[in-house]
Amino acid sequence: AQSVTQPDIHITVSEGASLELRCNYSYGATPYLFWYVQSPGQGLQLLLKYFSGDTLVQGIKGFEAEFKRSQSSFNLRKPSVHWSDAAEYFCACVRAGDSNYQLIWGAGTKLIIKP
Amino acid sequence: DVKVTQSSRYLVKRTGEKVFLECVQDMDHENMFWYRQDPGLGLRLIYFSYDVKMKEKGDIPEGYSVSREKKERFSLILESASTNQTSMYLCASSPPGEARNQPQHFGDGTRLSIL
């Protein structure tokens, strides 16, 4: 069955340091992948998406993600985090088959920023 | 800018009560979704609707029903609330078409406690 795995429940990073959040998917064909962010007390906002083409995708708020088919990964990166990046981050992929309106979600990674 | 409004940010109800969670979107979107968000489990789809009066079960529909009498409004109903339905509930909407092309827009969530 299709699945999305975010191996890290929490990540702590110092302000100004670089960030990488991991996401692995299981799907035989090319998946359609997303990263969303949920700031405290708010709903989710789309950061970026990957469908095909260039495997390095740029998003909002200075984030980027790289699709690596050989590793079944779609990791999110930012070169220098800001305190306002403290949030929960979710990776998702489109559910294959008839239900192509739906997304399959990872469990989320909570990002904590140290001053 | 798309706005998805959930009627309550916090709600406390008693076991056995019938509970209504309301969601309204202002962008004339065809698709609307109800998710449940629990720590470590990410988002799980309860129901979604792709048109007025149309609905499909998601992954965890048991104990829930939905109503979509008007395009802009999608209601989640807990027929007889139980303590294991204590959770954060998120509503989302998207334009028509496949999920890969139409990102979902989220409300800020309703934190529901069942006592």
Side-chain angles (χ1 to χ4, degrees):
Chain A
Q2 263 184 296
S3 66
V4 174
T5 303
Q6 293 179 247
D8 304 305
I9 299 173
H10 299 101
I11 289 259
T12 301
V13 176
S14 297
E15 190 169 15
S18 63
L19 170 71
E20 183 167 28
L21 301 182
R22 296 184 291 164
C23 173
N24 295 98
Y25 65 89
S26 69
Y27 183 53
T30 299
Y32 302 112
L33 295 159
F34 303 82
W35 275 100
Y36 280 79
V37 60
Q38 184 180 32
S39 297
Q42 297 185 18
L44 279 72
Q45 180 184 21
L46 180 67
L47 282 176
L48 47 78
K49 58 187 179 185
Y50 171 78
F51 298 154
S52 63
D54 193 346
T55 56
L56 187 61
V57 181
Q58 301 298 320
I60 63 171
K61 302 178 188 272
F63 286 91
E64 65 179 25
E66 186 170 13
F67 172 68
K68 291 186 178 179
R69 184 188 300 279
S70 61
Q71 298 177 19
S72 298
S73 69
F74 187 55
N75 294 349
L76 182 71
R77 302 195 295 242
K78 187 169 185 178
S80 175
V81 298
H82 185 261
W83 64 265
S84 60
D85 293 324
E88 191 157 17
Y89 293 79
F90 292 92
C91 183
C93 74
V94 174
R95 189 187 301 254
D98 294 338
S99 300
N100 54 14
Y101 301 106
Q102 299 180 32
L103 300 179
I104 298 172
W105 296 85
T109 298
K110 185 164 283 190
L111 176 62
I112 300 162
I113 307 293
K114 283 193 301 186
Chain B
D1 213 15
V2 177
K3 184 130 181 88
V4 178
T5 303
Q6 295 184 229
S7 54
S8 305
R9 293 297 301 271
Y10 301 94
L11 206 54
V12 179
K13 296 291 182 181
R14 297 207 172 273
T15 303
E17 279 192 69
K18 190 168 186 176
V19 180
F20 293 85
L21 302 184
E22 307 287 346
C23 175
V24 177
Q25 49 93 5
D26 65 357
M27 282 303 290
D28 205 35
H29 285 170
E30 272 73 6
N31 299 332
M32 295 189 76
F33 306 82
W34 273 108
Y35 291 96
R36 174 175 170 158
Q37 182 182 9
D38 298 290
L41 297 178
L43 277 69
R44 293 180 291 168
L45 183 65
I46 304 171
Y47 269 97
F48 81 100
S49 169
Y50 51 90
D51 204 347
V52 175
K53 296 189 187 290
M54 306 302 287
K55 61 187 178 186
E56 284 196 23
K57 293 179 180 179
D59 296 315
I60 52 165
E62 296 78 19
Y64 304 94
S65 62
V66 290
S67 171
R68 192 161 181 206
E69 296 296 320
K70 294 185 177 181
K71 192 174 186 180
E72 67 270 18
R73 186 180 297 270
F74 192 35
S75 302
L76 179 70
I77 304 157
L78 285 65
E79 297 290 343
S80 177
S82 65
T83 55
N84 62 13
Q85 293 178 307
T86 292
S87 187
M88 170 72 89
Y89 291 86
L90 292 170
C91 175
S93 73
S94 70
E98 297 181 354
R100 59 178 169 149
N101 296 322
Q102 304 296 355
Q104 295 179 18
H105 300 266
F106 284 82
D108 287 340
T110 296
R111 188 166 292 282
L112 175 65
S113 297
I114 307 296
L115 304 180

